[in-house]
Amino acid sequence: MTETLTTPAPARSVAAPRALGSLGLFTVLLGAALPLIDFFIVNVALPTMGRDLAASESVLELVVAGYGLAYAVLLVLGGRLGDLFGRRRLFLGGMAAFGLTSLACGLAPDAWSLVAARVAQGASAAAMVPQVLATIQSSTEGPRRAKAMSLYGATAGLAMVAGQILGGVLVAADLAGSGWRSVFLVNVPVVAVGLVLAVRAVPETRSPRPDPVDGPGTVLLAAALLTLLVPLTEGRAAGWPLWTWLSLASFPLVTGAFLAVERRADRQGRTPLVPPSLFALTPLRRGLTLMVPFSIGFSGFMFVIAVALQSGAGLGPVSAGLALAPMAVAFFLVSLAGPRLVTRFGARVVTAGAVVHGVGVVLILLAVRADWPDVGFVALLPGAAVAGAGQALQLPVVMRIVMSEVPPARAGVGSGVMVTTQQTALALGVATLGTLFLSLVPGMGVRDALVATLAVQLGGVVVTGLLSLRLPRTVG
């Protein structure tokens, strides 16, 4: 394992035959943005979907969860396949499949067809997204890599907020009578453009010594994620039947089996799906630890605020989406200054971001308490803008830290592990904070349930701030 991690010369000559240019970087960032936009774009469209398809609440949750589960479960495998068969090839195949499955979502005749198409869409995203970071890691170096990683983090954060805003606008626009279907159909022309650009501008890279697929590890990782995420996502709507508790009880057992199989494969000289040696890299290990509470809070907030503003404050999808526009604008503007701030202050930028983020959450909480139900763009503007600025000082920097010491030969596996951690935490955010909010509403009302959920999220922001103190001071 040590030789694989410390022999960079073959990786430079084989895995990066040509540098990633500006057009190629734009193209792979487009590929990174699309799946994140689609994770959040449905939040404000769910009420319209439910009415149009006569779908129950549990089925609507599967529209969100089915996509997130398939995406999270297959990401590490997608990274390994890119190392093995070529990252550009997997990127092209994944993007094409993402376009086709988006079309299937937009044309779905009933709710269960939509759920199936969303699962397939998540699987195609898992083939495409790991190749983005792996391509950046393998075909850039020095300051250009640092800039590309910062842009990747900024793109990811902006895509998550913009997805919810775009969803509200598209549903209300009702283009050609398409209603909610346009939130999926809009992907098709974007994917077509992306494929043309990728053929022209994205270089082919692969690991110089590609490892075979770890079958047992892949199955056990998928099983571990499913035993955790499925009951948390579906448990409340299903009334917490016995299978949900049995599934949660089996999670630590399956996770333990996965870790044991990976360690044994490592000792025997085989290459595990998630090499334990990766976690010997301090920046990766500590960065991933911080990313979990950050992503849980982010996705939970986005889901809860979309539901609360529509069901409690009576806002339409456009107003509910645009209420978060200040967050997107602030995130974009502050992320532009991120690389310069990191050069000067290092990882302490993340700590400062957590403080700013926390102030933003408090302002949103106070606005909800004072102005409910007359909350909207104006009332939420200060808090949303401050929270967006704080998030921009955290997410791009943490992503850059995680990948800073991953060698190019392991770029696919490293990126798969990072995006899997992020995506799993995003799904957990919807499952945990979303479940908390929806469980509190009957007894407390929407306003107080939202305030309580925001208070829990604030606790998560404090945790990320404390964890940021353990990050390496300098950022590579």
Side-chain angles (χ1 to χ4, degrees):
M1 295 301 300
T2 303
E3 292 181 357
T4 304
L5 289 173
T6 59
T7 310
R12 284 196 299 268
S13 60
V14 176
R18 61 188 176 96
L20 183 69
S22 298
L23 184 61
L25 178 60
F26 170 81
T27 305
V28 294
L29 291 180
L30 177 65
L34 281 173
L36 284 170
I37 288 173
D38 265 54
F39 184 85
F40 289 92
I41 201 170
V42 300
N43 283 348
V44 293
L46 287 175
T48 309
M49 289 180 189
R51 290 192 297 270
D52 189 30
L53 299 176
S56 66
E57 182 182 335
S58 60
V59 175
L60 287 177
E61 287 188 358
L62 281 175
V63 172
V64 178
Y67 174 84
L69 287 171
Y71 190 12
V73 163
L74 297 173
L75 271 164
V76 178
L77 177 61
R80 174 62 60 82
L81 293 175
D83 288 347
L84 185 63
F85 295 111
R87 292 149 187 160
R88 178 176 177 269
R89 180 179 299 177
L90 262 290
F91 181 80
L92 286 167
M95 180 173 273
F98 191 84
L100 291 174
T101 52
S102 296
L103 180 64
C105 289
L107 300 179
D110 53 61
W112 286 107
S113 298
L114 177 59
V115 170
R118 283 284 281 174
V119 171
Q121 190 186 34
S124 64
M128 173 174 60
V129 171
Q131 319 317 325
V132 176
L133 278 173
T135 298
I136 291 173
Q137 196 81 349
S138 300
S139 56
T140 60
E141 57 185 21
R144 184 165 182 81
R145 179 184 295 174
K147 180 181 179 181
M149 288 299 301
S150 295
L151 287 173
Y152 175 88
T155 300
L158 187 60
M160 289 189 280
V161 182
Q164 201 140 310
I165 298 171
L166 181 62
V169 172
L170 287 173
V171 170
D174 195 20
L175 301 173
S178 58
W180 60 266
R181 298 178 186 275
S182 60
V183 304
F184 301 114
L185 296 176
V186 71
N187 291 331
V188 177
V190 176
V191 164
V193 172
L195 289 172
V196 173
L197 294 178
V199 169
R200 177 181 175 185
V202 176
E204 180 64 281
T205 66
R206 68 181 72 203
S207 174
R209 290 180 296 275
D211 301 310
V213 172
D214 173 17
T218 300
V219 172
L220 284 171
L221 177 61
L225 292 174
L226 289 172
T227 57
L228 174 66
L229 295 177
V230 170
L232 287 178
T233 302
E234 289 296 301
R236 188 196 63 83
W240 297 105
L242 178 62
W243 70 263
T244 59
W245 299 108
L246 293 176
S247 180
L248 288 171
S250 67
F251 168 69
L253 302 177
V254 180
T255 301
F258 168 71
L259 295 175
V261 166
E262 298 299 272
R263 293 193 186 102
R264 185 175 63 184
D266 204 13
R267 288 195 303 267
Q268 293 176 348
R270 295 181 286 110
T271 303
L273 180 71
V274 180
S277 54
L278 274 182
F279 293 93
L281 302 175
T282 300
L284 180 139
R285 185 177 65 253
R286 293 183 179 177
L288 292 181
T289 302
L290 186 150
M291 188 177 289
V292 171
F294 177 89
S295 298
I296 287 174
F298 192 106
S299 65
F301 168 79
M302 298 295 284
F303 175 80
V304 167
I305 201 71
V307 174
L309 290 180
Q310 291 186 85
S311 64
L315 298 184
V318 173
S319 299
L322 290 180
L324 299 178
M327 181 179 288
V329 173
F331 190 103
F332 175 73
L333 294 176
V334 174
S335 66
L336 294 178
R340 291 191 297 274
L341 293 172
V342 170
T343 300
R344 183 172 180 181
F345 300 107
R348 291 300 170 257
V349 170
V350 181
T351 306
V355 173
V356 175
H357 188 187
V359 171
V361 174
V362 170
L363 291 175
I364 293 172
L365 189 154
L366 293 175
V368 169
R369 287 196 63 181
D371 300 325
W372 191 268
D374 299 319
V375 293
F377 180 88
V378 174
L380 296 178
L381 190 153
V386 173
Q391 292 160 354
L393 294 174
Q394 295 176 85
L395 183 60
V397 183
V398 172
M399 288 184 164
R400 180 173 161 185
I401 289 172
V402 168
M403 295 296 293
S404 61
E405 293 186 8
V406 176
R410 286 289 171 86
V413 177
S415 64
V417 169
M418 187 186 79
V419 182
T420 296
T421 301
Q422 181 194 30
Q423 185 60 38
T424 302
L426 290 175
L428 276 173
V430 175
T432 54
L433 292 181
T435 296
L436 173 66
F437 170 74
L438 293 172
S439 299
L440 292 176
V441 167
M444 301 175 64
V446 174
R447 189 200 75 160
D448 290 342
L450 178 56
V451 168
T453 306
L454 288 171
V456 173
Q457 187 202 354
L458 183 61
V461 174
V462 173
V463 171
T464 63
L466 294 174
L467 290 173
S468 71
L469 298 175
R470 301 182 68 248
L471 295 174
R473 182 64 64 93
T474 58
V475 180

